[in-house]
């Protein structure tokens, strides 16, 4: 116990003395979290509309009016030929070209089906889908008004009513902030843990410690505890600022979140430690850490859905600690889940944490 | 010049003989691109949902079958009463509950309309929005078929320009390429130079007959070649494995890679002039570059939905412009007349990074 | 007298490569034992085995009465170790380094206080004891590292090329410290590249290709090889293998 205390004290002395590194593990990540949360928005608005009206009729005018009157679309350009349409799409100046063909009005008043065309910039597939949905809905509305609702009322209609639970205003920030905090924290923890141990090996102090009666587990705990504390600082500072800036909801118990965090942190710590035993130089430690960190961050389900990944990727993703954290954040902070629902996550983290740390300690013995 | 050549040669030997690092440098980006190419997508399918059917009639069963038949959804759980919904969501296994109230069918035939509730777990917003929109689409189609009103509608033909099949790789692969290239190039240079600084070998070299700028250029040239090779490998992967099109000019694409790589390397040089140790260089590169590049370059969040101050920041991130270049050249087939702007911006950034680096080097001497 | 270090047929193999091949020797209490050899001759491997960093492949070794293979932890309590890297924490002060290593060796608060005062007084470090180690000159770092290797009053201290990179005067001063420690009864086990330093040792062993080729006092060795310096002895032995 005393040895661990001595090591922890030494580690903190070194951390606080390193003026150049200290901000990178404390203040900067927290600032970054706040800044980046402002970016968290997939909301599509102000879609730029190009209009190519070949009919020049009252009905066409009404349809266009319906589009420009909707809150999503804003008129950007009037187009008179395909070349111009292509050019505007190419330069990314319009998102949608609405093409109203000749005889549009005639078709509406006859029994023929009127036709229109959407040319959508589909580089962003998700956005293109949404544009198509909006545009179709507006067109449908237009036709209903034009022809009267008589035919529709005659047949039974199921009306879907959408309820968004836990986040009725669909506020991205409430979800993104805790997720980004967890990501930044994990990034820093893996990196400092890996680099710190490799550096001690490079300067030879590990060998010096190896000839002392210090036990392996004492050395490792002496390394892990300071970073465990730093992880706590980053997380709770980020969450506190999130509360102040974005008023993120905290439905569930913060004590439970802390319990999860306390256990969770041993996973990135163990991963960092494991990396340190597998590499020779700080540079290699860095690139290996980078590899895992970027995988963890992009596949954790915060930015893209986890469910849509192929099976093998989901399988690998079971080893992604951030995936669990993102889920637990949602469960506790937004849904108010209790220990009953969280314990499988805690259990997994305990197993993962013990597993990875044992692996690291085992490798550690071999490398010395 | 001869001395300089010999010096560069020495640097090459240094780097290429370190097989472990070389392995990491090539295997790592390739592995990442392959994993992300397959794993990152927003093509929703097999979304687990729950069904709470208090009506248990023909119409609701028919609709449910229709929904399962679409392939987008899997019924993971059948619920008995509305009180069960919160606990189901708290377990986090299902994303949405489809709720048919009692007397659903009766209502439907009597008053010609009946409500079905789509209760989405919006703690995962994207999935919530997408699932409700898919479901509404299916229900509307179901209505339309029942009413046979499809003949009366407007025929809408949609042309999805540049990405007919709405593939998400078109969205993600350019972002992944930009991110990985930036981090690898900037990290490599900043860490290498910082390491020389830490070990004092840079000082040793500065008393040699080669000028300090030449030394830095000499250090960076091998990494430039490495990074360029890396970028070609990654782009070829994108084309041959993920079916990214190559509609534009190849020489323009090579130019874009070159300009971007040089910009990333000079950013690395800039970082190295500002730090004292390898560790500081690493933290500066990784902590300050990775997340902002990921989130502000248009890779994950659309730039047009960023708040204005962040749009400004987005514009000073090199990756933002490179993503525009890749998408324009490869997917849209744009020519130089369309994309000269991002080129100029990247070149401008490079000059700025180098100018500031030289200033701080001068100050140090 | 009971030997403090006792080595019997100690071997270490790394795969097919035999780094140390069945070496045997004894070192007595208070003796300064020089361990010489070219790079790769196996002396570092031998020293690492004796200090509990490596497990022997075969053979036995006792340090301070404990078996290095089975009682490594007890061995570690009774030895000090100093390598050419002077493994001090450069970003800690002298005082903090003393407290840290003292603590790791399980000294009580009072003992740490007394001994750190002793070290500071002896090496006249009072003016710099709160300075970061990276700011003090190499010679002082070396002395501090030696003092720290002795902080827990070990029976044996292993010095792995402790004088690398320091000037001759500082080296001479460093040897004074070694003599002083030996007079206090500490056994000194030292590897070195400098043949003039070999002359200062009580006894010297010279390793070539994993074997001990010569062992004795410097004057005995010079006499048996019929030369007038340790450097010449070493050259003879090293050249001998080169011709094989």
């Amino acid at each position: 116990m005393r040895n661990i205390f001595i090591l922890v004290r030494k580690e903190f002395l070194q951390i606080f003395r390193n003026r150049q590194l200290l901000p990178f593990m404390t203040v900067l990540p927290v600032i970054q979290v706040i800044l980046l949360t402002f970016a968290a928005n997939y909301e599509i608005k102000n879609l730029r509309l190009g209009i190519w009206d070949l009919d020049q009729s009252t009905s066409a005018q009404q349809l266009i009016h319906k589009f420009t009157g909707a809150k999503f679309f804003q008129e950007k350009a009037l187009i008179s030929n395909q070349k111009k349409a292509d050019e505007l799409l190419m330069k990314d100046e319009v998102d949608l070209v609405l093409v109203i063909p000749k005889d549009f009005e005639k078709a509406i008043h006859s029994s023929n089906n009127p036709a229109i065309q959407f040319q959508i910039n589909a580089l962003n597939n998700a956005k293109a889908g949404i544009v198509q949905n909006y545009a179709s809905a507006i067109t449908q509305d237009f036709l209903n008004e034009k022809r009267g609702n008589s035919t529709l009322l005659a047949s039974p209609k199921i009306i879907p009513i959408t309820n968004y639970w836990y986040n009725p205003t669909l506020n991205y920030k409430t979800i993104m902030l805790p997720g980004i905090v967890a990501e930044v924290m994990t990034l820093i923890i893996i990196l400092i843990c890996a680099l710190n141990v490799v550096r001690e090996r490079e300067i030879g102090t590990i060998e010096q410690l190896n000839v002392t009666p210090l036990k392996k587990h004492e050395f490792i705990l002496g390394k892990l505890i300071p970073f465990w504390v730093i992880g706590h600082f980053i997380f709770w500072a980020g969450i506190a600022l999130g509360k102040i800036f974005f008023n993120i909801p905290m439905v569930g118990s913060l004590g439970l979140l802390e319990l999860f965090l306390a256990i969770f942190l041993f996973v990135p710590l163990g991963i960092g430690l494991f990396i340190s035993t597998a590499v020779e130089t700080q540079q290699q430690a860095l690139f290996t850490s980078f590899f895992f960190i970027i995988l963890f961050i992009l596949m954790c389900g915060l930015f893209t859905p986890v469910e849509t990944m192929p099976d093998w990727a989901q399988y690998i993703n079971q080893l992604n600690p951030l995936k669990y954290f993102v889920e637990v954040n949602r469960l506790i902070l937004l849904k108010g889940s209790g220990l009953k629902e969280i314990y499988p996550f805690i259990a997994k983290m305990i197993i993962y944490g013990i597993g990875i740390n044992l692996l690291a300690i085992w490798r550690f013995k071999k490398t010395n | 010049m001869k001395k300089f050549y010999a010096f560069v040669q020495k640097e090459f030997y240094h780097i290429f003989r370190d097989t472990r690092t070389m392995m990491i440098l090539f295997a790592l980006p390739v592995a990442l691109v392959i994993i992300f190419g397959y794993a990152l997508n927003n093509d929703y399918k097999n979304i687990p949902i729950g069904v709470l059917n208090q009506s248990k009639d023909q119409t609701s069963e028919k609709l449910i079958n229709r929904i399962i038949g679409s392939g987008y959804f899997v019924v993971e759980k059948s619920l008995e009463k509305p009180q069960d919904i919160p606990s189901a969501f708290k377990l986090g296994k299902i994303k949405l509950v489809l709720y048919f109230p009692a007397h659903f069918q009766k209502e439907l035939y009597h008053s010609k309309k009946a409500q079905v509730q789509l209760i989405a777990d919006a703690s995962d917003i994207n999935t919530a929005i997408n699932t409700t929109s898919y479901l509404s689409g299916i229900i509307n189609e179901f209505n339309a078929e029942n009413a046979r009103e499809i003949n009366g509608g407007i025929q809408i033909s949609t042309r999805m320009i540049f990405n007919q099949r709405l593939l998400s790789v078109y969205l993600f692969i350019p972002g992944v390429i930009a991110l990985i290239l930036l981090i690898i190039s900037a990290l490599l240079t900043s860490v290498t130079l910082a390491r020389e600084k830490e070990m004092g070998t840079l000082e040793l070299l500065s008393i040699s007959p080669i000028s300090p700028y030449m030394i830095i250029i000499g250090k960076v040239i091998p990494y430039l070649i490495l990074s360029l090779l890396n970028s070609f490998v990654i782009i070829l992967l994108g084309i041959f494995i993920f079916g990214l099109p190559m509609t534009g000019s190849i020489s323009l694409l090579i130019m874009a890679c070159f300009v971007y790589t040089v910009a990333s390397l000079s950013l690395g040089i800039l970082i190295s002039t500002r730090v004292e140790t390898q560790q500081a260089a690493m933290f500066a590169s990784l902590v300050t570059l990775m997340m902002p590049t990921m989130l502000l370059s248009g890779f994950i969040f659309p730039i047009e939905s960023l708040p204005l101050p962040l749009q400004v920041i987005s514009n000073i991130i090199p990756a933002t412009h490179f993503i525009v270049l890749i998408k324009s050249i490869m997917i849209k087939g744009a020519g130089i007349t369309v994309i000269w702007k991002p080129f100029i911006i990247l070149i401008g950034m490079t000059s700025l990074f180098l100018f500031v680096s030289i200033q701080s080097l001068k100050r140090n001497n | 007298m009971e030997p403090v270090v006792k080595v019997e047929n100690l071997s270490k193999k790394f795969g097919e490569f035999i780094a140390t091949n069945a070496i045997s020797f004894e070192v007595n209490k208070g003796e300064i034992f020089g361990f010489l050899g070219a790079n790769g001759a196996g002396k570092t491997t031998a020293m690492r085995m004796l200090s509990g960093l490596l497990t022997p492949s075969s053979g036995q070794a006792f340090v301070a009465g404990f078996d290095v293979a089975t009682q490594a932890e007890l061995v570690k309590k009774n030895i000090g170790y100093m390598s050419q890297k002077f493994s001090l924490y450069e970003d800690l002060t002298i005082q903090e380094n003393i407290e840290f290593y003292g603590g790791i060796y399980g000294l009580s608060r009072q003992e740490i206080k007394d001994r750190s005062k002793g070290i500071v007084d002896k090496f006249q470090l009072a003016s710099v004891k709160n300075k970061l180690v990276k700011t003090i000159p190499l010679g002082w770092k070396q002395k501090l590292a030696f003092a720290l290797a002795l902080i827990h009053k070990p029976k044996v201290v292993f010095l792995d090329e402790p004088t690398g990179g320091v000037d001759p005067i500082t080296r001479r001063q460093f040897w004074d410290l070694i003599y002083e420690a030996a007079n206090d009864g500490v056994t000194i086990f030292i590897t070195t590249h400098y043949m003039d330093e070999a002359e200062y040792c009580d006894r010297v062993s010279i390793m070539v290709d994993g074997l001990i080729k010569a062992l004795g006092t410097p004057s005995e060795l010079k006499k048996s090889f019929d030369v007038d310096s340790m450097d010449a002895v070493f050259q003879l032995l090293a050249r001998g293998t080169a011709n094989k």
Side-chain angles (χ1 to χ4, degrees), chain C residues 55-68:
Chain C
T55 331
S57 307
S58 64
Q60 274 191 313
F62 295 89
V63 173
F66 301 108
D67 185 335
V68 295

Side-chain angles (χ1 to χ4, degrees), chain A residues 45-51 64-78 93-98 134 138, chain B residues 304:
Chain A
K45 53 188 178 194
N46 300 329
L47 293 166
R48 295 153 304 171
L49 179 68
I51 296 161
I64 293 166
H65 202 75
K66 195 103 183 127
F67 265 91
T68 51
K71 59 180 175 177
F72 315 113
F73 290 103
Q74 59 178 57
E75 185 180 331
K76 179 78 184 182
L78 285 172
E93 284 177 13
V94 295
D95 297 302
L96 165 71
V97 176
L98 169 66
Y134 286 164
I138 290 171
Chain B
E304 59 268 25

Side-chain angles (χ1 to χ4, degrees), chain A residues 77-362:
Chain A
L78 285 172
I79 297 166
S80 54
N81 55 49
Q82 187 62 45
K83 194 166 163 259
K84 183 74 186 165
D86 288 345
E87 190 192 317
L88 289 176
L89 285 165
M90 173 75 83
K91 288 189 173 163
D92 201 17
E93 284 177 13
V94 295
D95 297 302
L96 165 71
V97 176
L98 169 66
V99 189
I100 305 174
K102 230 173 157 45
D103 300 332
F104 174 71
E105 186 164 51
K106 223 188 261 174
I108 288 182
H109 294 301
S110 72
S111 57
N112 289 341
N113 291 337
I116 59 167
Q117 189 187 42
F118 302 144
Q119 298 181 359
I120 301 171
N121 180 347
L123 261 183
N124 180 336
N125 62 327
K127 187 171 161 188
I130 291 170
V131 172
Q132 188 184 17
N133 275 349
Y134 286 164
S136 306
I138 290 171
T139 313
Q140 202 60 51
D141 264 10
F142 161 79
L143 193 70
N144 290 349
E145 276 172 23
K146 200 78 185 159
R147 286 185 166 165
N149 288 348
S150 51
T151 46
L152 283 170
L153 277 176
S155 66
K157 189 168 189 277
I158 301 170
I159 305 162
I161 307 286
T162 308
N163 283 305
Y164 293 114
W165 278 25
Y166 308 118
N167 189 2
T169 54
L170 294 180
N171 182 351
Y172 275 98
K173 298 180 176 46
T174 58
I175 286 165
M176 289 296 172
L177 184 121
I180 295 178
V181 174
E183 289 179 348
V184 170
M185 176 192 78
T186 306
L187 181 166
I188 289 177
I189 295 298
I190 292 180
L191 199 61
I192 40 179
C193 192
L195 290 180
N196 185 292
V197 178
V198 175
R199 188 174 149 75
E200 278 227 22
R201 197 160 62 225
E202 272 183 359
I203 59 177
T205 40
I206 280 202
E207 184 164 282
Q208 190 70 45
L209 292 179
N210 276 338
V211 293
T212 68
L214 195 65
K215 304 266 191 311
K216 285 257 147 66
H217 73 267
E218 290 173 335
F219 173 77
I220 284 172
L221 278 175
K223 281 282 170 212
L224 298 189
I225 290 171
F227 303 141
W228 186 82
V229 173
I230 288 181
H232 271 84
F233 171 80
I234 296 175
F235 186 78
W236 287 115
I239 293 291
L241 287 177
K243 183 77 192 165
I244 295 167
F245 279 93
F246 306 109
N247 195 21
I248 57 165
M250 296 175 173
V251 181
S253 141
L254 292 184
L256 186 60
L257 190 58
E258 165 57 34
L259 176 68
F260 179 78
L261 174 71
I263 295 166
F264 170 87
L265 274 169
F266 283 98
V267 176
L269 286 169
I271 292 172
L273 205 60
F274 179 71
I275 290 173
S276 77
T277 63
V279 300
E280 283 161 358
T281 63
Q282 289 187 70
Q283 227 180 58
Q284 289 169 357
L286 170 76
F287 281 106
T288 319
S289 309
F290 164 67
F291 177 79
F292 286 107
I293 290 167
I294 195 171
L295 275 180
F296 290 162
I297 289 183
L298 281 178
M299 289 173 70
C300 70
L302 194 62
F303 304 127
T304 60
V306 176
E307 294 84 14
T308 60
M309 291 178 191
D311 287 344
W312 61 265
Q314 294 205 28
Y315 199 65
I316 297 177
N317 218 14
Q318 297 297 315
L319 289 175
N320 181 351
L322 276 174
K323 179 185 102 108
Y324 301 101
F325 208 136
V326 165
E327 241 170 289
V328 167
N329 267 334
R330 283 176 185 154
L331 287 171
I332 297 181
L333 290 175
L334 285 158
K335 303 189 202 172
S337 302
L339 189 59
K340 193 166 59 114
E341 289 90 4
I342 300 299
Y343 87 85
F345 293 92
I346 294 181
K348 277 181 192 168
M349 287 301 106
I350 291 177
I351 295 168
Y352 196 172
I354 291 177
I356 187 82
N357 280 291
L358 281 183
L359 199 65
I361 292 171
W362 173 72

Side-chain angles (χ1 to χ4, degrees), chain B residues 5-65:
Chain B
Y5 176 74
F7 174 63
V8 172
Q9 202 176 25
K10 188 209 90 181
E11 289 300 312
F12 259 103
Y13 288 146
H14 260 318
I15 294 163
F16 287 88
R17 275 187 194 152
D18 182 359
T19 38
R20 199 147 168 180
T21 305
M22 285 294 288
M23 276 284 293
I24 291 177
L25 282 185
F26 276 99
L28 214 135
V30 169
L32 285 178
V33 170
I34 291 178
I35 294 173
F36 289 145
Y38 285 113
L40 293 190
N41 65 69
N42 46 23
D43 314 320
Y44 286 86
K45 54 180 193 287
N46 299 328
I47 302 297
I49 62 169
V51 172
L52 171 55
N53 192 348
Q54 290 190 320
S55 180
K56 297 217 162 56
D57 55 64
Q58 261 186 327
T59 317
S60 58
E61 290 299 333
K62 207 170 138 196
L63 180 57
I64 292 167
N65 283 332

Side-chain angles (χ1 to χ4, degrees), chain B residues 141-171:
Chain B
E141 237 174 81
F142 187 79
N143 284 333
E145 277 169 28
N146 283 350
R148 291 192 182 74
E149 62 179 24
I150 203 144
N151 296 328
I154 289 186
Q155 273 185 356
I156 299 172
S157 65
T158 306
R159 277 182 59 200
M160 291 295 182
I161 314 282
F162 306 127
N163 184 3
Q164 262 179 332
R165 290 183 292 151
L166 290 183
L167 299 174
S168 44
V169 286
Y170 285 32
L171 177 65

